[in-house]
Amino acid sequence: MSSANIALLGAIAGFTIYLGLPIGRLRRPTPRLKAGLNAVAIGILVFLVWDVLAHAWEPVDESLSKHEWGTVASGGATLAAGLTIGLAGLVHYDAWITRRRTTAARPAGPGAAATAELAPRTRSQAGSLALMIATGIGLHNFAEGLAIGNSAAKGELSLALLLIVGFGLHNATEGFGIVAPLAAEGERPSWLTLLWLGLIGGGPTFAGTLVGQHLVNDTLSIAFLGLAAGSILYVVIELLAVARRSGLKTLTTWCILIGLLLGFATDAVVTAAGA
């Protein structure tokens, strides 16, 4: 395949993330709808944590079976570092953002209060969560793009097309997961905000496709997957706290299950493709 066609396939796979983003534009969602959206997002993201870690551990596990201890040590260390940066790094980042928000909320002069009122909505907790989800999914999608690029570069067109279908379906559900915190808090993001979140979450699929044509490296893949798993796990912890505050345990449980099943259903196409 030509480089242009490979790039087009990656762009299509990444673009499907926009299919789920418009849900964030819903007006005045009911408390039960808010809790349901939040819980479905949890289910999808829990599946993604498992899916990402499984793929990250695969090359390490293979090296273990072959007793290649040097590869095991480097791969394990890379995964541990990625997880640490992705999970603990976001904890410290969130604390830093909270301190900045608190400082900005204190009027420092005659015009400070007016300036604070004009602060962008993305500084809210729900907006920060949506941005973190998009970032974590973007790291995950970069690794997916690597798989598309590698397959297409090797001339495996049928496999590449199946990967496009599978990852495209996956990205559509991931777009829903990105905006769920905004919908759950009743925040209605602008179309420009949705465009930006979609670029962060889906754009790396396209970038990974381009890189995958020229670079096949297990260590790089493990690093990105580790970062993705850590960041998504952090967001799951935050969303679980939101779910507990809703007090709708039965609805939350069923919607988490629905999210998990959606994750497995969309991943089935990828598995069938041999990825």
Side-chain angles (χ1 to χ4, degrees), residues 10-254:
I12 292 173
F15 179 78
T16 57
I17 202 167
Y18 285 104
L19 296 178
L21 289 175
I23 281 187
R25 296 276 299 172
L26 288 176
R27 291 182 181 273
R28 299 177 183 175
T30 65
R32 292 183 66 84
L33 179 58
K34 292 179 185 179
L37 291 172
N38 186 74
V40 172
I42 291 172
I44 293 172
L45 295 173
V46 166
F47 169 80
L48 283 176
V49 171
W50 169 80
D51 187 42
V52 168
L53 287 177
H55 282 84
W57 184 250
E58 186 176 353
V60 180
D61 190 57
E62 183 178 346
S63 297
L64 278 169
S65 64
K66 296 178 181 178
H67 304 292
E68 298 174 348
W69 306 119
T71 305
V72 169
S74 62
T78 300
L79 178 56
L83 275 170
T84 301
I85 295 172
L87 182 55
L90 281 181
V91 171
H92 294 288
Y93 171 77
D94 187 46
W96 177 71
I97 287 294
T98 300
R99 287 195 300 270
R100 281 181 58 107
R101 192 182 302 133
T102 302
T103 302
R106 297 195 193 111
T115 303
E117 290 178 1
L118 296 176
R121 293 177 64 85
T122 50
R123 288 188 179 181
S124 68
Q125 183 177 6
S128 297
L129 271 178
L131 180 59
M132 290 177 186
I133 292 174
T135 302
I137 286 175
L139 291 170
H140 175 221
N141 285 344
F142 183 84
E144 291 183 346
L146 288 175
I148 294 173
N150 289 341
S151 300
K154 294 175 183 176
E156 299 171 349
L157 180 58
S158 60
L159 173 57
L161 291 176
L162 282 173
L163 289 173
I164 292 296
V165 173
F167 291 150
L169 290 172
H170 225 156
N171 280 346
T173 60
E174 289 169 347
F176 171 76
I178 290 173
V179 297
L182 295 169
E185 292 297 325
E187 293 192 21
R188 195 164 183 260
S190 66
W191 287 110
L192 183 60
T193 297
L194 294 182
L195 175 63
W196 177 241
L197 291 173
L199 284 175
I200 294 173
T205 307
F206 172 69
T209 301
L210 296 180
V211 174
Q213 299 179 60
H214 310 288
L215 180 63
V216 180
N217 186 285
D218 282 343
T219 301
L220 179 65
S221 179
I222 291 172
F224 273 98
L225 291 172
L227 282 168
S231 58
I232 294 173
L233 181 57
Y234 171 79
V235 171
V236 168
I237 294 171
E238 293 292 300
L239 294 183
L240 283 171
V242 173
R244 181 171 291 277
R245 289 197 298 269
S246 72
L248 299 169
K249 186 174 182 179
T250 301
L251 175 66
T252 296
T253 300
W254 277 105

